[in-house]
Amino acid sequence: MKLVVLISGRGSNLQAILDAGIPVAAVVSNNAAAAGLRVAQERGIPTHVIAHADFASRLEFDRAVQQAIDAYVPDLVALAGYMRILTDAFVHHYTGRLINIHPSLLPSFTGLQTHARALSDGVKIHGCTVHFVTPALDHGPIIIQAAVAVEAADTVETLQQRVLAAEHRIYPQAIRWFFEGRLRIDDSGRVNLSCATASEQSVWVTGG
Ligand code: GRF
């Protein structure tokens, strides 16, 4: 099974995927300054930078990214902090083999600044979600979620840290399930995990 990871920045989820022993065929970034590129390079993983500013349109940019990805003939493409809005053509090209990690319990808090919005709304449970990507931003079929208890003293930073630690647990898990061929999207658009044990199916709730 071949995995290509798309990043724009720090690359801590990429690092977690690699630390989990999951092989990554290549890393693609729209940002030459992405720290995550070094994470890949240190491990001898090929990296490709495709700067969005070099392209006249989103469509042309996405086509170039697609070409770089497809050179590896990946089974799965994982967005890990990839900060570009995707064209429908790109998303359709990778239907059923494009996944994303989002720092909220979807469908709550799609988009940006999820931790600040969670705090300002006073939610008591926050978390993160790995989902298949569909054209509607942050709305695709949910694969796995981790819940994090919000504490009275939380700031954006402290909450973000605990959610990120949860991200690092569930992203490798979702990829393993995909590679094991255990993820099926049913007719109603929901993900079923085949042969799931009770503990695999339960939501992960982490404390402080
Ligand atoms: C993560 O919080 C992820 O959920 C979001 O962007 C952030 C990327 O962090 N989509 P990193 O680059 O993996 O450290």
Side-chain angles (χ1 to χ4, degrees):
M1 283 281 185
K2 272 180 144 188
L3 169 68
V4 170
V5 179
L6 269 57
I7 63 166
S8 296
R10 178 179 52 187
S12 71
N13 277 287
L14 168 65
Q15 176 97 51
I17 291 164
L18 292 165
D19 288 349
I22 296 168
V24 172
V27 172
V28 178
S29 177
N30 63 303
N31 172 19
L37 288 170
R38 283 201 304 278
V39 171
Q41 284 154 2
E42 277 161 15
R43 303 195 187 214
I45 296 164
T47 58
H48 299 269
V49 174
I50 300 166
H52 54 271
D54 293 347
F55 293 84
S57 70
R58 215 184 272 282
L59 213 59
E60 287 167 61
F61 168 70
D62 269 4
R63 261 195 226 118
V65 174
Q66 190 178 309
Q67 230 170 27
I69 296 170
D70 287 353
Y72 292 90
V73 198
D75 301 284
L76 181 66
V77 177
L79 308 177
Y82 183 65
M83 302 301 287
R84 302 305 298 167
I85 303 276
L86 306 170
T87 56
D88 286 5
F90 184 94
V91 172
H92 285 133
H93 179 72
Y94 295 108
T95 298
R97 54 192 181 115
L98 180 62
I99 63 175
N100 180 46
I101 183 137
H102 182 78
S104 78
L105 287 175
L106 292 174
S108 291
F109 308 120
T110 60
L112 298 173
Q113 271 138 22
T114 56
H115 308 306
R117 287 157 58 210
L119 287 177
S120 118
D121 281 358
V123 299
K124 305 305 176 205
I125 305 283
H126 186 41
C128 49
T129 304
V130 180
H131 64 96
F132 283 104
V133 176
T134 55
L137 184 72
D138 300 329
H139 270 99
I142 292 170
I143 299 168
I144 186 170
Q145 295 183 302
V148 171
V150 180
E151 290 162 17
D154 263 328
T155 61
V156 168
E157 288 70 32
T158 59
L159 186 56
Q160 187 263 345
Q161 271 170 19
R162 292 205 308 289
V163 172
L164 193 64
E167 291 182 34
H168 297 163
R169 292 172 64 187
I170 65 170
Y171 214 1
Q173 179 64 83
I175 293 167
R176 264 192 234 107
W177 283 341
F178 184 93
F179 281 1
E180 290 165 2
R182 294 174 62 194
L183 300 178
R184 292 270 173 280
I185 303 176
D186 69 20
D187 293 342
S188 50
R190 286 188 284 258
V191 175
N192 289 320
L193 174 66
S194 60
C195 310
T197 62
S199 66
E200 278 180 323
Q201 273 174 329
S202 68
V203 175
W204 295 10
V205 181
T206 62

